[in-house]
């Protein structure tokens, strides 16, 4: 049976750890011809910088080639073709497919519509599993481990797909989670239930300052404005991280952010040793090399 990566829950802890190990191999050895002759199709129905380009870079680094689009308005979807029909056809042009789409469940639908492996590059506010593997790899890289860490997640817990997948993945490890909720943007109940079911220790907080001295990783995220009405009061981000707040932090704290950043992290923090989000973005390439190589086997 073909493998897909639609939800982070598709992977066992052993499979996650295996992919992280493969990613560190590709980080050390970034050139390979493992996927020579193979084609990746990149189908991006929503804006993307890192996910699409790091997938493309990963595929080229593995010796493969890329076809695809980042503007669905110039495809036959615009003429009224269904996603299923498009995927069926594209599946006969490529060996692997990555899709980003605004509808939750679209990546699952794509996976069911083709015989080639499908990776979810973000489906609405649901899941973003390849970002999560990048995040786990980065956490392990900057802290030397995942188990035992105290991790705060802040920003848009409601619509942030990167947050959702990361929470589910961290439930495999023995971590302590601090969830900093932005007003009106709470973590979905299904994720809270999963954390409880897995016995993860977690608590909700209104302010970052309450937890700052305890944490090893601070995962910031952007308010997902495109996922709710223009008139909504959610627009106001009350969770901007200021350099002055880091006075209370451990020296070894590292700040992550899936990017793009809007106003969640003061720019002056970039030059401090706490900032690790650009390294995190760079890690998207070796991590996605590991994913591509594994799914194409
Ligand atoms: C994230 C996404 O698209 O969900 N970006 C990314 O893939 N690096 C986060 C975001 O857009 O806020």
């Amino acid at each position: 049976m073909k493998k897909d990566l639609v939800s982070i829950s598709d992977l066992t802890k052993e499979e996650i750890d295996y992919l992280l190990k493969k990613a560190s191999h590709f980080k050390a050895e970034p050139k390979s011809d493992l996927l020579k002759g193979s084609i990746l199709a990149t189908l991006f129905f929503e804006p993307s910088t890192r996910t699409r380009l790091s997938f493309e870079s990963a595929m080229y680094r593995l010796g493969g080639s890329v076809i695809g689009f980042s503007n669905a308005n110039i495809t036959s979807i615009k003429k009224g073709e269904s996603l299923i029909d498009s995927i069926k056809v594209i599946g006969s042009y490529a060996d692997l497919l990555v899709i980003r789409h605004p509808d939750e469940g679209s990546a699952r639908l794509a996976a069911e519509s083709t015989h080639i492996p499908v990776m979810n590059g973000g489906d609405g506010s649901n899941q973003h599993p390849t970002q999560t593997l990048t995040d786990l790899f980065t956490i392990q890289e900057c802290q030397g481990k995942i188990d035992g860490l105290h991790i705060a997640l802040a920003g848009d817990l409601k619509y942030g797909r990167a947050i959702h997948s990361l929470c589910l993945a961290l439930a495999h490890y023995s971590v302590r989670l601090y969830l900093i909720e932005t007003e009106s943007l709470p973590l979905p109940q299904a994720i809270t239930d999963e954390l409880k079911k897995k016995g993860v220790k977690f608590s909700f907080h209104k302010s970052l300052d309450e937890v700052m001295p305890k944490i090893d990783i601070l995962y910031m995220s952007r308010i997902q404005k495109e996922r709710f009405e223009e008139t909504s009061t959610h627009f106001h981000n009350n969770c901007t991280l200021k350099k002055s707040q880091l006075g209370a932090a451990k020296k070894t704290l590292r700040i992550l952010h899936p990017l793009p950043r809007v106003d969640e992290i003061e720019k002056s923090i970039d030059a401090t040793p706490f900032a690790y989000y650009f390294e995190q973005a760079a890690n998207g390439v070796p991590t996605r090399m590991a994913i591509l190589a594994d799914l194409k086997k």
Side-chain angles (χ1 to χ4, degrees), residues 151 173-179 195 198-203:
I151 301 175
Y173 298 86
S174 66
V175 290
R176 172 68 167 92
L177 299 184
Y178 304 90
L179 298 151
L195 292 177
K198 289 264 172 64
V200 180
K201 290 201 182 75
F202 67 96
S203 49

Side-chain angles (χ1 to χ4, degrees), residues 44 46-52 100 121-125 127-128 130-131 135 156 159-163 219-224 226-227 257-262 264 280-281 288:
F44 279 72
E46 274 192 342
S48 172
T49 301
R50 278 148 288 271
T51 304
R52 185 170 67 87
R100 167 172 287 189
D123 62 327
S125 55
Q127 283 261 333
H128 197 350
T130 70
Q131 178 66 45
D135 298 342
D156 192 339
Y159 297 107
R161 54 195 175 197
I163 294 266
Y219 193 95
M220 298 296 293
S221 69
R222 176 181 69 88
I223 305 295
Q224 308 282 296
E226 66 275 35
R227 310 254 178 249
H257 190 308
L259 303 178
R261 156 176 62 181
V262 184
E264 304 81 48
Q280 178 187 7
R288 290 181 170 105

Side-chain angles (χ1 to χ4, degrees), residues 51-229:
T51 304
R52 185 170 67 87
L53 295 179
S54 65
F55 256 118
E56 295 196 357
S57 173
M59 191 62 183
Y60 286 121
R61 289 207 189 281
L62 288 165
S65 317
V66 182
I67 57 170
F69 58 82
S70 54
N71 175 7
N73 283 332
I74 56 160
T75 70
S76 288
I77 300 260
K78 183 75 178 165
K79 300 180 191 167
E81 185 173 48
S82 71
L83 182 64
I84 295 180
D85 283 2
S86 297
I87 300 288
K88 270 203 173 91
V89 173
I90 297 164
S92 65
Y93 298 161
D95 304 289
L96 291 148
L97 185 156
V98 56
I99 179 170
R100 167 172 287 189
H101 194 282
D103 295 346
E104 298 192 6
S106 51
R108 181 72 67 199
L109 185 70
E112 287 164 2
S113 309
T114 178
H115 64 285
I116 64 170
V118 169
M119 293 154 287
N120 182 2
D123 62 327
S125 55
N126 186 34
Q127 283 261 333
H128 197 350
T130 70
Q131 178 66 45
T132 293
L133 290 166
T134 303
D135 298 342
L136 294 174
F137 177 75
T138 305
I139 292 172
Q140 202 165 56
E141 178 181 78
C142 65
Q143 296 293 1
K145 60 180 183 178
I146 301 176
D147 282 323
L149 295 180
H150 287 234
I151 301 175
L153 298 118
D156 192 339
L157 306 189
K158 182 171 182 180
Y159 297 107
R161 54 195 175 197
I163 294 266
H164 299 163
S165 297
L166 183 57
C167 280
L168 296 174
L170 286 173
H172 287 300
Y173 298 86
S174 66
V175 290
R176 172 68 167 92
L177 299 184
Y178 304 90
L179 298 151
I180 320 296
E181 287 189 322
T182 301
E183 206 179 337
S184 322
L185 296 171
L187 194 69
Q189 190 61 41
I191 304 212
T192 313
D193 290 346
E194 187 63 22
L195 292 177
K196 277 192 197 142
K197 202 173 110 193
K198 289 264 172 64
V200 180
K201 290 201 182 75
F202 67 96
S203 49
F204 291 101
H205 302 266
K206 289 268 167 283
S207 131
L208 253 174
D209 298 326
E210 289 172 29
V211 305
M212 192 62 91
K214 300 182 197 166
I215 57 177
D216 305 295
I217 294 285
L218 170 53
Y219 193 95
M220 298 296 293
S221 69
R222 176 181 69 88
I223 305 295
Q224 308 282 296
K225 291 180 184 172
E226 66 275 35
R227 310 254 178 249
F228 42 80
E229 295 288 305

